[in-house]
Amino acid sequence: MRSLHLFPLATLSIASNLLVLPSVSEAPACATYHGPISASHLFHLPPTCFHSQSSDLIYAPLDWDAGRLMWVHETALEESVEALLSRKAELDFESELQAQGIQQTYFGSRSIDENEPKLVMKLPAGQGHLVQFPSDASLSRWTSSPTNAFLELVFISPAPLILPTTESSLYPAPMPVPQPSIDRISQHLKNVKFNSLISILVSTFPRDGFIKDVKYLSGEDQKAKAGEGWVSRHSMSEGGRRASNWIVGEFRDAGLTCEQHEYANGFAPMVECVINGTDPDAGTFVLGGHFDSRGSFGHYTAPGADDDGSGTALLLSIARHIASHRLTFRRKVIIAAFSGEEQGLLGSNWFAKRLRDRGEDVVLMIQADMIGYRKPGEPRQIGDLRMHARRRNLILTPFFSVAFPPDTLGLQEARYLVGNLSTIYAPELVPGITPACCSDHQSFGSLGFASTWVFERNGPIADPFYHNSGDLSEREGYDFEQIYLTSTVVLATLLEVAGFSFI
């Protein structure tokens, strides 16, 4: 029996309560499921629902209407980078306090009032907190504070999720992905091999397009018309909206059918582009990245060349490559550029629910986030392929015998598939594991869609300009060749799973 008891049962609300459990099997039947949070699972108990198995559980009262609920936890940073960035955050925070003459609080730099985020629940050690934001303005202020630069947010939807019951063959823990969806990816994994046509499309993939796009997105080389440029792509800024307009224009120039979605007041619209498949019953492949960015306190710039200008450039380059070769696909292909990622995956959460509600059969969603930084002295890498093929022999046995909590909501079979494809088409990359979290693929995984992502490093974040106004491409460690190689792996995955032909 666990001894942690932060919210006594005597404090239970007569309205409704949150309950954190180590296993989904321990939840009462009347509870609704709201997702994994690190090594635990979150449930909501309506007024008539009680859990009587133990008085030593983690409960907390909750009013869903009081604001957005977020899981807040620390970013996985390399130790040396953490020390450097933490000191800078302290200095920025001191400057913020002096400039505004206010008192420090637990969750930010302003005095506690009804408009500030509220601590709902402290989770077991190392798993973070549940925090409720009463308004989007409070969310914007919180994500702009230097003290919160290295904390990640994941939105917890009041809409119930699928209760995980299926076990992945490569991951012996309950997964929200239904078994038929896992089997579909497993079949691709079983049959993956060198394909000469995929190899041709990979070998003709241009290397230079990324440079122009990244530099435009970051504002380093932006020849925009008056009123169309930006220095920040923060989701709730005018620059974010202008970036969305530019991105949808670039996709349309490549010949794609696209639209912008206004999913929340004050947020830059996300972009959805669709390539209809030849078989309407074959399902959908989703390729995603986020274009919003974060900068340093006191700086009006948020260039985001790596986070996530690199992933956005990948989307644009793949779209142009598809158009230039006049490719068609058996499965429907959606290319999605999300905003609201830095505010808790809000854009992708809305979009994943939209796909579910319209009955979209998502075969695989793959997210590209932070693929451009390489620590000097390290080889070019691709993560988060936590279980992947050996470098020479394509086998279905995990290369790493490590147990991971279900915190990234990526399907292991999907990671392994991408890992196998990387060894075939981009052997220069070293695949591996990363504890870094979080990104938009999680919004899809939580709804039962097979998903995974690609990241720049095998290990924690090492970029010294993470969530910083110095996140530019013209600096030591920014590697366009790594972006190119990672993009070829994502392209190969798209071609393999979506099924392609030439017009």
Side-chain angles (χ1 to χ4, degrees):
M1 181 179 295
R2 297 180 299 143
S3 60
L4 185 61
H5 186 64
L6 298 173
F7 293 86
L9 290 177
T11 67
L12 289 181
S13 166
I14 60 172
S16 62
N17 294 277
L18 294 178
L19 171 64
V20 173
L21 294 170
S23 171
V24 295
S25 62
E26 297 182 21
C30 54
T32 57
Y33 182 65
H34 294 268
I37 42 177
S38 191
S40 303
H41 293 271
L42 181 65
F43 292 87
H44 177 245
L45 279 63
T48 57
C49 183
F50 298 95
H51 190 288
S52 59
Q53 292 183 7
S54 171
S55 62
D56 208 18
L57 298 169
I58 307 176
Y59 285 95
L62 178 74
D63 177 5
W64 286 112
D65 295 330
R68 297 185 191 274
L69 183 66
M70 298 281 179
W71 170 37
V72 180
H73 59 100
E74 293 184 354
T75 301
L77 294 171
E78 188 176 69
E79 186 174 350
S80 60
V81 173
E82 182 176 13
L84 173 66
L85 295 181
S86 296
R87 178 53 184 157
K88 187 180 186 308
E90 289 174 6
L91 295 174
D92 286 346
F93 184 50
E94 291 171 4
S95 299
E96 182 183 16
L97 293 178
Q98 292 173 4
Q100 302 187 30
I102 47 185
Q103 299 295 317
Q104 178 178 357
T105 71
Y106 187 81
F107 291 108
S109 57
R110 292 167 177 78
S111 56
I112 297 246
D113 61 35
E114 62 182 10
N115 295 315
E116 290 303 314
K118 305 298 191 298
L119 173 62
V120 174
M121 179 185 292
K122 184 176 181 180
L123 298 170
Q127 296 186 31
H129 305 78
L130 294 180
V131 181
Q132 194 164 34
F133 292 82
S135 67
D136 288 338
S138 68
L139 179 61
S140 179
R141 288 196 303 269
W142 196 89
T143 54
S144 299
S145 173
T147 56
N148 304 322
F150 318 123
L151 296 176
E152 297 286 350
L153 302 177
V154 176
F155 175 59
I156 305 295
S157 174
L161 302 177
I162 299 172
L163 184 66
T165 56
T166 306
E167 289 191 358
S168 162
S169 61
L170 298 180
Y171 185 63
M175 299 286 291
V177 182
Q179 190 61 52
S181 297
I182 296 176
D183 293 342
R184 192 161 47 184
I185 296 299
S186 296
Q187 191 63 35
H188 280 285
L189 180 58
K190 179 180 179 181
N191 297 329
V192 67
K193 60 183 179 181
F194 175 81
N195 182 302
S196 59
L197 291 179
I198 292 179
S199 179
I200 291 171
L201 290 169
V202 166
S203 65
T204 58
F205 194 55
R207 275 182 160 87
D208 54 358
F210 304 101
I211 300 175
K212 179 181 177 181
D213 289 333
V214 167
K215 289 185 179 295
Y216 197 94
L217 287 162
S218 67
E220 295 172 83
D221 186 10
Q222 192 177 92
K223 298 178 178 63
K225 297 179 182 178
E228 294 183 2
W230 59 83
V231 293
S232 169
R233 304 190 309 277
H234 190 285
S235 293
M236 303 178 75
S237 71
E238 177 61 27
R241 184 167 294 274
R242 292 178 181 179
S244 173
N245 292 338
W246 178 79
I247 290 167
V248 75
E250 291 295 303
F251 280 130
R252 287 171 176 164
D253 287 347
L256 273 65
T257 301
C258 306
E259 61 181 316
Q260 292 167 287
H261 298 298
E262 300 273 3
Y263 59 89
N265 291 333
F267 282 77
M270 64 154 289
V271 177
E272 175 192 11
C273 300
V274 177
I275 304 171
N276 287 314
T278 57
D279 182 353
D281 298 321
T284 301
F285 183 101
V286 180
L287 174 58
H290 73 90
F291 66 85
D292 59 315
S293 60
R294 286 174 68 173
S296 307
F297 171 73
H299 295 260
Y300 59 87
T301 60
D306 186 29
D307 187 11
D308 184 29
S310 58
T312 304
L314 175 150
L315 302 183
L316 292 169
S317 292
I318 288 180
R320 295 182 189 119
H321 196 57
I322 289 171
S324 67
H325 286 275
R326 304 181 66 190
L327 297 179
T328 60
F329 298 95
R330 185 172 73 89
R331 290 187 165 118
K332 178 180 178 180
V333 174
I334 294 176
I335 300 179
F338 301 111
S339 60
E341 194 272 352
E342 301 289 5
Q343 288 75 41
L345 318 181
L346 292 180
S348 59
N349 186 278
W350 176 88
F351 187 64
K353 285 184 172 61
R354 175 184 171 89
L355 296 188
R356 182 193 63 180
D357 292 345
R358 71 189 190 194
E360 202 90 34
D361 178 19
V362 176
V363 177
L364 178 63
M365 188 277 177
I366 183 167
Q367 171 83 355
D369 194 353
M370 295 179 62
I371 58 174
Y373 181 78
R374 177 167 64 97
K375 183 179 178 181
E378 292 187 348
R380 293 185 174 100
Q381 301 166 59
I382 182 170
D384 175 45
L385 309 181
R386 295 190 172 186
M387 293 186 175
H388 61 274
R390 296 183 183 273
R391 301 290 292 173
R392 295 178 181 175
N393 299 317
L394 301 181
I395 56 176
L396 302 184
T397 302
F399 186 80
F400 293 102
S401 56
V402 183
F404 295 97
D407 56 352
T408 58
L409 285 179
L411 184 68
Q412 291 286 27
E413 284 83 355
R415 291 187 182 118
Y416 199 29
L417 173 63
V418 179
N420 274 322
L421 291 168
S422 76
T423 64
I424 297 173
Y425 300 107
E428 303 94 326
L429 290 173
V430 178
I433 63 174
T434 177
C437 173
C438 304
S439 198
D440 292 307
H441 63 294
Q442 295 180 230
S443 297
F444 289 78
S446 66
L447 292 182
F449 296 136
S451 66
T452 188
W453 71 318
V454 288
F455 179 69
E456 64 199 10
R457 188 168 187 259
N458 307 327
I461 295 170
D463 188 347
F465 290 101
Y466 172 70
H467 284 175
N468 188 283
S469 292
D471 184 4
L472 301 165
S473 66
E474 294 184 4
R475 59 184 171 99
E476 183 182 29
Y478 200 94
D479 192 338
F480 281 106
E481 181 67 10
Q482 182 170 276
I483 296 176
Y484 162 75
L485 291 170
T486 302
S487 298
T488 63
V489 175
V490 174
L491 173 63
T493 305
L494 166 62
L495 298 171
E496 173 70 30
V497 176
F500 69 97
S501 60
F502 299 93
I503 296 177

